[in-house]
Amino acid sequence: MDILILDDEKEIADLVELYLKNENYNVHKFYDYKLAINYINTQKLDLAILDIMVGQVSGFEICKMIREKDLNFPIIFLTAKIEDVDKIYGLTLGADDYITKPFNPLELVARVKSALRRYTKYNKKEKDDNIYIEGLEIDKETHKCLLFGKEIELTPIEFDILLYLANNRGCVVSSEELFEKVWKERYLDNNNTVMVHIRRIREKLKEDTKNPKFIKTVWGVGYKIEK
């Protein structure tokens, strides 16, 4: 697995590199955003760890660039910024996780492994029946989503959320259940991650925010897709 690290704090980047190499990952470390962007544009990656503030370009901009290129590998932000608005903005751009400094390197490694498991599962073809819901087609074999025949670009985590809701059509799924089933981590009461990802999925499905066709909100309970 090839992992890119971009952080202009050399001590932090070196520490992350050390722990990831101990797990036998191929690590490509950069202190300069220009070199990192060039690598992203020319090489295959399985995951990127981005600092938010790296010189004249922010990690947010790099994340946006990656997603606009339809590159779906996981992105983890590693930063000293801790405000909820920053976390939500990063997730809205397509990031998968967010770790604040100072951090426990073992926790970082655990989150990297979790993100890579999801990514590997997303790219692995498993033969199964497709799901059809009023013009929406979820292809389990190719892990693609089509809306009236047009492919919708979803990140691995967005696909897993949509698939879980589709597999539980007619049932209300709480934010806690969604988070723990998709992220494989314990849910916290103040966690806005599920809400932000649901919003992104709805945007990609061209949903009417006041009356969504596919993913319904059951206020105070959770989300569901009707049968």
Side-chain angles (χ1 to χ4, degrees), residues 12-211:
I12 296 292
D14 293 348
L15 178 66
V16 175
E17 178 188 36
L18 174 64
Y19 274 82
L20 291 178
K21 280 191 171 180
N22 284 342
E23 298 293 329
N24 296 317
Y25 293 119
N26 299 319
V27 179
H28 310 279
K29 177 181 62 180
F30 298 93
Y31 309 125
D32 180 271
Y33 73 89
K34 293 180 182 178
L35 296 175
I37 290 175
N38 180 65
Y39 194 90
I40 292 167
N41 285 332
T42 58
Q43 304 296 325
K44 180 183 179 298
L45 286 171
D46 297 294
L47 184 140
I49 299 173
L50 306 176
D51 187 19
I52 284 189
M53 301 306 298
V54 277
Q56 298 173 335
V57 174
S58 74
F60 291 143
E61 293 175 77
I62 297 173
C63 176
K64 183 178 179 182
M65 177 206 76
I66 291 170
R67 294 308 185 221
E68 286 177 346
K69 290 179 176 294
D70 294 333
L71 299 172
N72 286 327
F73 57 76
I75 297 173
I76 297 176
F77 279 127
L78 182 61
T79 179
K81 298 177 76 69
I82 59 174
E83 293 83 357
D84 282 344
V85 65
D86 294 310
K87 294 182 181 181
I88 292 173
Y89 183 57
L91 294 169
T92 300
L93 291 175
D96 295 82
D97 209 344
Y98 203 112
I99 300 176
T100 55
K101 303 174 184 177
F103 61 92
N104 183 331
L106 295 178
E107 179 187 355
L108 174 62
V109 170
R111 294 197 180 210
V112 165
K113 288 181 177 180
S114 178
L116 286 172
R117 279 197 300 269
R118 289 194 297 269
Y119 183 56
T120 302
K121 178 182 176 184
Y122 175 82
N123 285 282
K124 181 181 178 181
K125 294 183 178 181
E126 298 176 354
K127 188 174 182 180
D128 204 341
D129 294 332
N130 292 0
I131 296 175
Y132 299 91
I133 308 169
E134 297 184 32
L136 177 66
E137 178 182 351
I138 302 173
D139 190 326
K140 295 183 180 181
E141 181 179 354
T142 62
H143 286 260
K144 291 183 179 180
C145 177
L146 304 176
L147 183 60
F148 298 110
K150 183 178 179 180
E151 184 175 349
I152 304 298
E153 293 292 342
L154 298 177
T155 66
I157 209 163
E158 290 166 354
F159 182 88
D160 284 350
I161 290 171
L162 186 60
L163 180 60
Y164 190 82
L165 289 172
N167 281 334
N168 291 276
R169 276 172 291 173
C171 300
V172 180
V173 179
S174 68
S175 294
E176 178 179 359
E177 180 180 346
L178 260 180
F179 187 86
E180 293 183 351
K181 293 294 185 181
V182 173
W183 276 265
K184 310 298 183 185
E185 297 178 16
R186 186 171 64 87
Y187 178 82
L188 301 176
D189 290 340
N190 61 350
N191 196 323
N192 294 313
T193 304
V194 172
M195 177 188 69
V196 173
H197 279 81
I198 291 289
R199 183 192 306 160
R200 280 184 56 81
I201 295 169
R202 283 172 169 165
E203 289 174 355
K204 292 182 177 183
L205 294 177
K206 311 297 184 186
E207 291 269 57
D208 180 347
T209 55
K210 294 183 179 180
N211 185 29

